Amino acid sequence: MISTRRHRVLIIGAPYDNFKSMDDLLSRTRAAVWHPCTQMKDLEATPPLAIARGEGPWLIDTAGRRYVDAISSWWVNLFGHCNPRINAAITDQLGRIEHVMLAGATHEPVVALSERLSALTALGHAFYASDGASATEIALKMSAHYWRNTGRPEKNAFVSLQNGYHGETVGALSVTDIPLFRATYEPLLRHSARVPSPDARLAASGESPAAFAERCAAALEAHLAAHAETTAALIVEPLVQGAAGMAMYDPIYLTRARELCDRYEVHLIADEIAVGFGRSGTMFAFEQAPLPGGPAPKPVRPDFICLSKGITGGYLPLSSVLTTDSVYAAFYGDETARGFLHSHSYTGNPLACRAALAVLDLFEQDDVIAANRAKAATFTTILAPVRAHRRVRHFRRCGMIWAFDVAGATPGFAARFHRAALAQGVFVRPIGNVVYVMPPYVTGDDEMRQVCDALLACLDAPEV
Ligand SMILES: *Cc1c(COP(=O)(O)O)cnc(C)c1O
């Protein structure tokens, strides 16, 4: 029996007594569920983990085995599984109102969250959706619609970075540059331009990451000089290109991108879906862009910021797009079609907003950004043997993300490494030959030591 005693109470909709064994669950998941980002046939060799419970940084399977969730359940979890303080916030909200549509109605959680996100980002009027890709779609549509409302409808093209990732719905995929996700759907996508990625691994030998970022900014300038008349926005993942394999770059690129977007009248969209909420070491990665010189430096901020993933601590689907007052003002007026008529059924869901408010409270009450700085230094020391391993190249860190490339990785490396790490009680999913660790912020030193030992064992395993 998979069920635990506390699930024996008769709760309607509770599935727990229907599953006879872990094998029963695994065969039924293959028969009934279409898993994301998965060739389903691969589940024959690599069955998914059958998870019964979570506890802080731990995932616990139906046989009671424990795994460190070293990639925060696809980068969403910040404060661990079943966090009592987030649980309490959602439970409180459940007794009030679970959901109400946000057109023609409003509620305290969505207003409070919008005010706090605005204070944190220096942008205003938070628009909501349920996932990251939708946030990308919203930012792209808002940008193009802004130019239309201001009499420049020809400005409707987008430019993004090589190897960038902004989600996989058709609009988001058109600014995503990961061939594995994109190539098949190419005929469905609108053409959009790519400029070189400042990924520090691509620097010439002897060239500093900052010098390389400047060189990439020059390529961006060349593109904008030729195409600004038809370009609505540049979209970037600030500091870390996650799906590209945790490619990290120098923050000067963001400063230059801001300057160029100002000069060429192009919006700058910061996709902070993965790096927001402390992941990069600051609340938002954009905060690390150095101020441009001159007598009165303007704060470096994007025109749009896309947030999701960690926003609810990994509890509930929620995303948000915030923008400047001047963009907002261009939509305001008597004419309906000047307004932004986009919507999703679950826009501004109160339960998700309460989870997000609890997350922001945790950041404040526990001074999480400062605490993570100390934690990251300790984790980097713990991971020193990995950094020194003979197969490890380009060991890198940004905030609470560690990554390295593995030399000599052959096809199928990622799946083999994943399986070998599971045997060591660690859940990781390499991207190609890149192994990364992106732990929940509640991860302790002992758990990180277990991750380190597992990575070393996998790097040395003959079958990996
Ligand atoms: C995950 C991610 C997205 C897409 O978010 P979904 O919720 O998976 O649709 C977009 N941009 C970045 C940078 C991401 O990491």
Side-chain angles (χ1 to χ4, degrees):
M1 289 301 248
I2 290 175
S3 60
T4 55
R5 182 159 289 138
R6 62 201 174 97
H7 289 120
R8 289 273 160 76
V9 223
L10 239 193
I11 295 175
I12 63 161
Y16 294 97
D17 284 330
N18 294 327
F19 292 90
K20 303 305 169 217
S21 64
M22 189 187 283
D23 282 346
D24 180 37
L25 176 64
L26 293 178
S27 68
R28 284 165 64 182
T29 200
R30 281 168 50 198
V33 181
W34 202 332
H35 287 263
C37 200
T38 300
Q39 165 51 264
M40 289 294 289
K41 188 162 191 291
D42 291 345
L43 297 188
E44 292 174 16
T46 310
L49 274 193
I51 295 303
R53 292 191 300 120
E55 197 178 282
W58 296 96
L59 296 168
I60 301 159
D61 75 10
T62 55
R65 284 184 296 251
R66 296 160 71 85
Y67 306 86
V68 180
D69 186 359
I71 57 169
S72 297
S73 290
W74 250 351
W75 324 347
V76 300
N77 192 289
L78 302 186
F79 298 112
H81 298 283
C82 284
N83 182 297
R85 288 145 88 188
I86 305 176
N87 285 9
I90 297 172
T91 309
D92 177 70
Q93 186 58 39
L94 271 174
R96 298 170 188 268
I97 175 78
E98 73 301 326
H99 183 69
V100 59
M101 60 191 286
L102 200 62
T106 190
H107 49 83
E108 290 175 38
V110 79
V111 174
L113 179 61
S114 304
E115 289 172 352
R116 289 178 72 175
L117 291 177
S118 175
L120 287 167
T121 59
L123 298 169
H125 285 98
F127 197 97
Y128 293 92
S130 315
D131 53 56
S134 304
T136 298
E137 303 277 348
I138 288 162
L140 299 179
K141 283 177 69 177
M142 267 186 186
S143 173
H145 193 163
Y146 166 90
W147 294 115
R148 184 181 178 82
N149 280 354
T150 53
R152 302 172 75 181
E154 68 287 355
K155 279 172 79 70
N156 60 40
F158 301 104
V159 54
S160 56
L161 299 186
Q162 275 166 3
N163 303 322
Y165 180 91
H166 302 287
E168 291 171 60
T169 53
V170 171
L173 200 53
S174 73
V175 290
T176 285
D177 188 37
I178 309 284
L180 184 63
F181 303 145
R182 183 186 162 98
T184 309
Y185 308 103
E186 202 69 57
L188 279 58
L189 307 180
R190 179 166 183 258
H191 171 77
S192 88
R194 303 278 171 280
V195 290
S197 161
D199 175 356
R201 292 175 300 176
L202 306 175
S205 89
E207 189 179 32
S208 72
F212 181 57
E214 295 280 9
R215 194 148 65 83
C216 292
L220 171 63
E221 167 146 39
H223 177 84
L224 293 179
H227 301 288
E229 287 307 308
T230 53
T231 301
L234 164 70
I235 182 166
V236 299
E237 292 161 272
L239 299 188
V240 184
Q241 293 184 287
M246 300 299 156
M248 299 179 187
Y249 63 85
D250 192 279
I252 192 68
Y253 187 81
L254 299 175
T255 307
R256 295 289 175 253
R258 175 70 277 175
E259 290 169 339
L260 292 169
C261 286
D262 282 342
R263 187 172 331 142
Y264 288 98
E265 296 187 279
V266 165
H267 289 140
L268 179 51
I269 302 171
D271 175 353
E272 298 239 7
I273 290 165
V275 292
F277 299 97
R279 231 353 127 176
S280 72
T282 43
M283 192 62 168
F284 300 107
F286 226 90
E287 295 166 27
Q288 293 178 47
L291 291 174
K298 277 195 296 177
V300 177
R301 64 163 197 203
D303 299 296
F304 297 86
I305 190 168
C306 301
L307 305 172
S308 190
K309 292 205 165 107
I311 192 171
T312 61
Y315 266 68
L316 288 160
L318 180 72
S319 62
S320 183
V321 177
L322 291 99
T323 186
T324 60
D325 290 344
S326 71
V327 167
Y328 176 77
F331 289 77
Y332 203 81
D334 296 322
E335 204 187 319
T336 304
R338 268 187 92 83
F340 192 61
L341 305 185
H342 188 99
S343 67
H344 296 283
S345 310
Y346 284 100
T347 294
N349 175 262
L351 293 168
C353 290
R354 281 298 295 276
L357 286 165
V359 161
L360 294 182
D361 278 349
L362 284 167
F363 269 102
E364 273 182 27
Q365 291 168 11
D366 298 356
D367 200 2
V368 169
I369 298 291
N372 277 358
R373 216 171 290 136
K375 198 179 268 272
T378 308
F379 285 3
T380 300
T381 307
I382 290 172
L383 290 171
V386 171
R387 175 179 218 148
H389 192 278
R390 66 189 161 78
R391 295 184 71 189
V392 170
R393 305 282 183 278
H394 297 293
F395 186 94
R396 53 197 181 271
R397 177 183 78 90
C398 179
M400 291 291 278
I401 308 171
W402 290 260
F404 54 89
D405 299 9
V406 177
T410 51
F413 165 84
R416 292 192 301 273
F417 195 101
H418 166 74
R419 283 198 297 270
L422 282 184
Q424 307 283 329
V426 171
F427 188 88
V428 287
R429 270 175 69 107
I431 301 171
N433 72 331
V434 174
V435 177
Y436 68 94
V437 176
M438 196 161 167
Y441 304 162
V442 296
T443 305
D445 295 356
D446 284 345
E447 287 132 5
M448 197 43 123
R449 278 186 208 104
Q450 179 172 340
V451 171
C452 177
D453 292 345
L455 297 180
L456 291 171
C458 295
L459 286 167
D460 285 330
E463 76 276 14
V464 176

